[in-house]
Amino acid sequence: MTTLSDSPSSGVPTPDTLPHYTDAERKITLTGLMVVFLLAALSQNVVGTAMPRIIEDLHGFNLYAWVTTAYLLASTVMVPIYGKLSDLYGRKPVLVFGIVVFLLGSALCGLAGEPFLGNFLGGGMNQLIAFRAVAGFGGAALFTTAFTILADMFDPAERAKFGGLFGAIFGLSAVVGPVIGGFLTDALSWRWTFFVNLPLGLFALFLIMSKMPRIGQRTGGKIDFWGAALILSTTIPLLLALTWGGVTYAWDSTIILGLLGGSLVSLLAFLYAESRAPDPIIPLSLFRVPMFSTGNLASFVVGMAFFGVVMFLPLYMQMVLGVSPTKSGMSMLPLMAGLMGSSILAGNIVAKNGAYKPWMIGGGIVLVVGMWLLTGLHADSTLPDLYWRMFIVGLGLGPSQSLFTLAIQNAVPVRELGVATSSSQFFRQIGSTIGAAVFGTLLMNNLHTELPKHLPQVPGAQMDASNMDLGALRAAGSGQGGPGEKIKEAFGEQYVQIEKALNGDAAAAAAIQANPQVPGELKTLVGGGLKAQVHEKLSTQAAAIQSALSQGEPGRQALLNSAQTPDALKAQLKALPAQALATPQASAAVAAQVSQGVLAQEDAAYAQAKIQALASIKAELDQQGTELAGQVNTGLKEGFTAAMTRMFGSAIWVAALGLLITLFVPVLPLVSRRSAAPAEQETPAASA
């Protein structure tokens, strides 16, 4: 096993060379790193499908977002700090510390809300958020140190191949993570989405502690506590502002402006402190390296575009195409297949010829094309239509997952390899966070603009983004519940009120009169109009019958021959004896009697007319409710699709900016920094 010493006389390699590691050491270390990387990647994806059950058990819906935000905040701000610590004290101690803290945080997350914890930290949901921050504090070391150890143990050519493999693992975790989370939640408990980290983590810890050689040159120096503190005071307010802005607080609110202002002041203080620190946590001299500054800027911008697509595509699938949450996670497979394929392919080809820039540029071009293709989605698009577009986007994203880190590692001195790798990861995570915030704000603003264009105008109702939540949109997409169903229910309730009013309910009648959505004709009908109509009709009919029968037999024959005479009245007229109409006096008496009989049927006639009117009203309201519900559901899907495609259109410019920056990435040969190995230890690179 290769060992390192702090003493110059012990054969410590020169600053720009790396020691030789045996084939067995490299294989064991690579296996451990892959388990660590898979563990870190799954931890970000496995919890999402369990969150509804967690909220149900811990009762903290208003704190939903903080379960993710706490992990993101803790892990992001610690990335550069771990990178510097690994340069000062070696990779292995930092990685072991990170795994232990991550496993501790995972175990505590699984115990959140248990009775023996009582009201510690204010209840189960607050406990979970705090414990996720602990897991993020340790998890930050996993990604960063894994990539740095790859750079320590493998030449750039080999590193390109393995870097592509690690990028593929990350993409795969985004697909299988939600599936594993859903299975564990349904089969066991949501707590097992955290406990599942323990066996994997302990296995990785065993491999690393027992088999991994000491890696990383101890460069000496002291921890830059001021730099670390200022990184925290810069990034935490920034991430809080980007997380809360436009969602919890308005962008121009005092809280958001205060957080952004505080972050800016802290950033200036950080730059001042780092320029004077003898051993800065992020050496500003690294920014004089063109590959470091340009590569990190491009990685930052591509990270924004990546999150802008990946984070919101499941929303489109659930809310427009009606796909279930679990299936929407599986439906990301085409994007991840493209990402994994191009990442592995680019890594293997770059490992052979060392030409990384063409793949960076090619990936950027394909990404721009993929974003443009996403703008062609419609409310009636099918999943296969979406899949091939996602695959193109994945092809464009793949090369950036490992090549930027590879190129940056290749351009910096070995003594600063850890901080350079962690800085690359730091800028990418900050880019992703900003991308999530920016594109989330764009989506909400687009919804405010697009929904009113596609929703029908309903008197007395304001159907726009201000009162449409994501649950309503999801229900509209699936066709189950949602605003459309609520509209039909509202029409049904209106019918019940009309029925009560016609049956004499004064309160219902008053409510009908006060409702601006009820047409005036219907208000008149309910307000006594129907009864007046029946009375007027019968009065007219009775007067006509009396006039006709007053004329004697000719009048009776005229009524019998009239199609407007009711059948019951015709039968009554036929039964009249001839002498009943023989004289004018007799005819007048019969006419008055029959007329009074017709008027006496007013209550029965009103009851019959009410039944007919209610049947007609119900049929009309049902038809109107169904039509309006369909228009609202369709409008919601069309409006949400238009908002999404506009957001993708904005993402094109971000991807294009990333491509433009990539054009200025320097081209450097991938050089070997490996120190000479004893002849008996030399093995082909492929054997690793």
Side-chain angles (χ1 to χ4, degrees), residues 394-442:
L395 288 178
L397 288 169
S400 69
Q401 296 303 298
S402 59
L403 294 186
F404 280 112
T405 300
L406 169 71
I408 290 170
Q409 290 173 335
N410 184 64
V412 301
V414 170
R415 64 183 179 274
E416 294 175 333
L417 197 56
V419 70
T421 304
S422 63
S423 297
S424 175
Q425 183 68 24
F426 176 73
F427 285 118
R428 179 176 297 181
Q429 285 190 211
I430 289 290
S432 297
T433 305
I434 292 177
V438 169
F439 286 108
T441 301
L442 282 174

Side-chain angles (χ1 to χ4, degrees), residues 165 217 261 289 292 296 318 349 351 388 397 447 486 507 519 521 540 543 552 573 598 604 614 618:
L165 179 61
Q217 304 177 58
V289 179
F292 181 86
N296 278 327
Q318 292 181 37
I349 293 179
W388 70 268
L397 288 169
L447 285 172
K486 290 181 179 179
E521 181 181 353
T540 302
L573 292 176
V598 170
L614 286 172
K618 188 175 190 314

Side-chain angles (χ1 to χ4, degrees), residues 294-622:
T294 308
N296 278 327
L297 181 59
S299 183
F300 172 86
V301 175
V302 172
M304 287 182 62
F306 173 78
F307 231 75
V309 173
V310 174
M311 182 175 182
F312 295 105
L313 274 174
L315 287 178
Y316 170 79
M317 285 187 273
Q318 292 181 37
M319 298 172 192
V320 177
L321 304 185
V323 176
S324 68
T326 302
K327 188 176 179 181
S328 69
M330 291 294 296
S331 297
M332 295 296 288
L333 184 60
L335 187 146
M336 296 308 168
L339 186 152
M340 293 165 59
S342 61
S343 177
I344 295 174
L345 179 64
N348 279 278
I349 293 179
V350 172
K352 294 177 181 178
N353 59 25
Y356 55 80
K357 187 170 181 178
W359 285 93
M360 291 178 175
I361 295 175
I365 294 173
V366 174
L367 179 59
V368 171
V369 172
M371 296 287 192
W372 175 75
L373 290 173
L374 288 177
T375 62
L377 292 172
H378 303 285
D380 55 354
S381 294
T382 61
L383 277 175
D385 186 31
L386 176 62
Y387 287 161
W388 70 268
R389 301 171 195 264
M390 292 167 59
F391 180 76
I392 301 295
V393 173
L395 288 178
L397 288 169
S400 69
Q401 296 303 298
S402 59
L403 294 186
F404 280 112
T405 300
L406 169 71
I408 290 170
Q409 290 173 335
N410 184 64
V412 301
V414 170
R415 64 183 179 274
E416 294 175 333
L417 197 56
V419 70
T421 304
S422 63
S423 297
S424 175
Q425 183 68 24
F426 176 73
F427 285 118
R428 179 176 297 181
Q429 285 190 211
I430 289 290
S432 297
T433 305
I434 292 177
V438 169
F439 286 108
T441 301
L442 282 174
L443 178 60
M444 291 307 299
N445 289 338
N446 291 343
L447 285 172
H448 279 280
T449 303
E450 295 296 333
L451 283 178
K453 295 179 182 178
H454 295 85
L455 288 170
Q457 296 297 319
V458 179
Q462 296 178 348
M463 294 188 180
D464 55 28
S466 62
N467 63 358
M468 288 295 174
D469 57 19
L470 295 183
L473 291 169
R474 186 184 301 112
S478 64
Q480 299 177 353
E485 291 300 318
K486 290 181 179 179
I487 286 174
K488 289 195 284 187
E489 290 175 4
F491 273 90
E493 292 172 359
Q494 189 178 79
Y495 168 77
V496 171
Q497 200 170 48
I498 291 171
E499 184 179 31
K500 290 180 179 178
L502 286 176
N503 286 328
D505 189 321
I512 291 291
Q513 297 298 327
N515 190 345
Q517 296 181 354
V518 177
E521 181 181 353
L522 187 55
K523 289 182 179 181
T524 302
L525 194 69
V526 171
L530 180 61
K531 196 171 190 68
Q533 289 178 12
V534 171
H535 177 77
E536 181 180 358
K537 180 179 179 181
L538 287 178
S539 296
T540 302
Q541 186 181 48
I545 291 172
Q546 185 172 5
S547 175
L549 290 179
S550 297
Q551 300 175 13
E553 187 62 32
R556 176 167 66 170
Q557 294 301 320
L559 290 173
L560 290 173
N561 294 329
S562 174
Q564 297 180 354
T565 303
D567 292 339
L569 182 58
K570 286 184 178 181
Q572 183 181 356
L573 292 176
K574 288 180 180 179
L576 288 175
Q579 60 270 26
L581 301 173
T583 64
Q585 293 81 1
S587 297
V590 170
Q593 184 179 5
V594 172
S595 176
Q596 290 176 359
V598 170
L599 292 175
Q601 299 174 4
E602 182 172 339
D603 290 341
Y606 174 68
Q608 184 63 32
K610 184 169 60 176
I611 292 173
Q612 294 176 351
L614 286 172
S616 176
I617 290 170
K618 188 175 190 314
E620 185 176 353
L621 289 178
D622 286 347

